[in-house]
Amino acid sequence: MEIDKVTYYDLSIFNNEEEYSLFHRIDFCNTIGGRIKLEYLLAHPHKQLSKIQQTQQTLQHIGSLADQWPVEITNGTILVIEKYYGYPFEKIPDSYSPVPAFLYRVFDAPDFRLVRFTVGHFLDFLRGMDKLQQLLWKDDAAPLLQLLLHDIRKHLQHTRIREMIAATGNLSPQKMLQFGHYLRYNFKSEAERLIDLYHQLDAYYSMAKAVQKFNLQFPVVTESREPMIQAKGLYHLLLQTPVAYDVTLNPQTNFLFLTGANMAGKSTFIKSVGCAVYLAHLGMGVPVAQMELSLFDGLLSNIQVQDNIVKGESYFYNEVQRIKNTVLKITDGRKWLVLIDELFKGTNIQDAMHCSTAVIKGLVKIKNSLFILSTHLYEIGDDLKPYPNISFRYFETTA
């Protein structure tokens, strides 16, 4: 699904103040690398239904086993392993005789201590990866997950690696050096690949954990020719005490026109729908009781437009430019969800009313997309009543 930087900002997918971002909310990664992979996944919502479904299956499977996730692998363990390959060792001996090991311990004591320390962490990592692939292995698992697990198994099949995984008790100095020599000179690319595979699984673990913690529901996504959203009990994931709403948008009523007083909840509602559709295209669970939606080609928003004093661009100018660019994009015949909050806030009421009415009358003619638009200019609703595809709703407030 196509989504631009403005929409990412509007929906708080990422935010400089992390506690206010969707990314921070669903981040349960165990490692820094996993967090980087999670950020990548959030920046690349799926375009194909098959990938959405595979991700859903993967998260459901991982979520059912999350309590058994191996604890041997930590961020510290991975940092130690990565440092090992960058350290300027003298040649690490590889001999079954105890003499070279003794000499290395005496004359290269700092290096020996680092080898011993790293091999211990490496054993934890390899055992953890072996447990992980056994835990997650399932003959009918989603192809996405199967590929990762097949790759892990391939790199754990080396005879010396199986010996390390099976090793118990305190290792002799020569055995420690044999392992260290092999890992240093014969296993670097495989180790880097295994670390990358763990980071990928860690990112999926984080997503699955978020689904569990927040009781998210996996939506039904369909490859429909026409856009539609039907949700019950939809709310915003970032709110501590959210209010849930039901939403229905389809080709017959593809334009939702919202009015209500300032701070009545219009913006939050719009962002809730946007975040839900976005999460659905990641293959994640969604903060709803139940949801069905079509596969969308793109998601665009016009919520937090800003001026630019460096370029000399006013607030009103940027609003007009954003609307112009939105219209140019959504007339390509693809399915879009368009979210607009308070059109033309940067000008006087009369001009805002005329401009808003003109824009809405143009947008309602586009049948391949869904629109949610909020405004406190309820007066313009009278001019829009002849359009049968507009659904008029309002937010009530109490004193």
Side-chain angles (χ1 to χ4, degrees), residues 114-314:
L114 182 56
V115 171
R116 182 176 59 189
F117 181 69
T118 303
V119 168
H121 279 281
F122 232 121
L123 294 181
D124 287 339
F125 175 71
L126 294 172
R127 289 166 184 156
M129 291 299 287
D130 194 44
K131 286 182 181 178
L132 193 57
Q133 64 87 13
Q134 291 183 51
L135 175 68
L136 298 179
W137 188 265
K138 186 181 178 185
D139 291 336
D140 61 346
L144 166 68
L145 183 58
Q146 282 186 337
L147 284 173
L148 295 177
L149 297 178
H150 272 296
D151 210 354
I152 292 173
R153 283 191 166 187
K154 179 181 70 175
H155 292 305
L156 295 180
Q157 290 306 311
H158 299 271
T159 302
R160 183 56 62 90
I161 296 301
R162 298 312 306 175
E163 182 184 354
M164 292 183 195
I165 292 172
T168 58
N170 294 323
L171 301 179
S172 65
Q174 56 264 40
K175 180 61 69 175
M176 189 76 70
L177 290 175
Q178 286 171 19
F179 286 168
H181 181 278
Y182 180 82
L183 294 170
R184 171 78 176 190
Y185 304 113
N186 302 99
F187 201 69
K188 180 180 178 181
S189 61
E190 290 87 346
E192 290 172 342
R193 178 57 182 159
L194 282 171
I195 289 173
D196 185 69
L197 289 166
Y198 179 77
H199 287 156
Q200 292 182 56
L201 289 174
D202 193 23
Y204 287 124
Y205 166 85
S206 176
M207 295 167 74
K209 199 72 176 176
V211 170
Q212 280 189 335
K213 181 175 178 62
F214 303 118
N215 193 30
L216 307 182
Q217 305 301 313
F218 288 99
V220 176
V221 185
T222 60
E223 208 157 13
S224 169
R225 295 179 60 185
E226 298 179 320
M228 61 84 64
I229 297 174
Q230 185 165 351
K232 294 182 179 180
L234 181 147
Y235 60 93
H236 202 297
L237 187 58
L238 293 182
L239 297 182
Q240 297 297 327
T241 56
V243 176
Y245 299 95
D246 295 345
V247 185
T248 299
L249 287 166
N250 52 47
Q252 289 71 46
T253 54
N254 71 320
F255 200 108
L256 180 56
F257 182 87
L258 287 174
T259 58
N262 288 330
M263 298 183 68
K266 301 188 300 296
S267 300
T268 300
F269 171 79
I270 290 176
K271 293 176 183 179
S272 299
V273 177
C275 286
V277 171
Y278 168 79
L279 288 171
H281 283 74
L282 293 177
M284 268 201 70
V286 175
V288 292
Q290 184 179 337
M291 185 175 189
E292 182 177 354
L293 72 159
S294 60
L295 183 70
F296 285 89
D297 295 297
L299 172 61
L300 287 172
S301 66
N302 183 32
I303 299 176
Q304 302 179 71
V305 178
Q306 297 178 337
D307 59 0
N308 191 320
I309 60 173
V310 176
K311 294 183 178 180
E313 297 171 351
S314 69

Side-chain angles (χ1 to χ4, degrees), residues 6 9-12 271 301-306 315 341 345:
V6 173
Y9 175 75
D10 282 347
L11 298 182
S12 298
K271 293 176 183 179
S301 66
N302 183 32
I303 299 176
Q304 302 179 71
V305 178
Q306 297 178 337
Y315 191 100
D341 185 33
K345 296 185 286 288

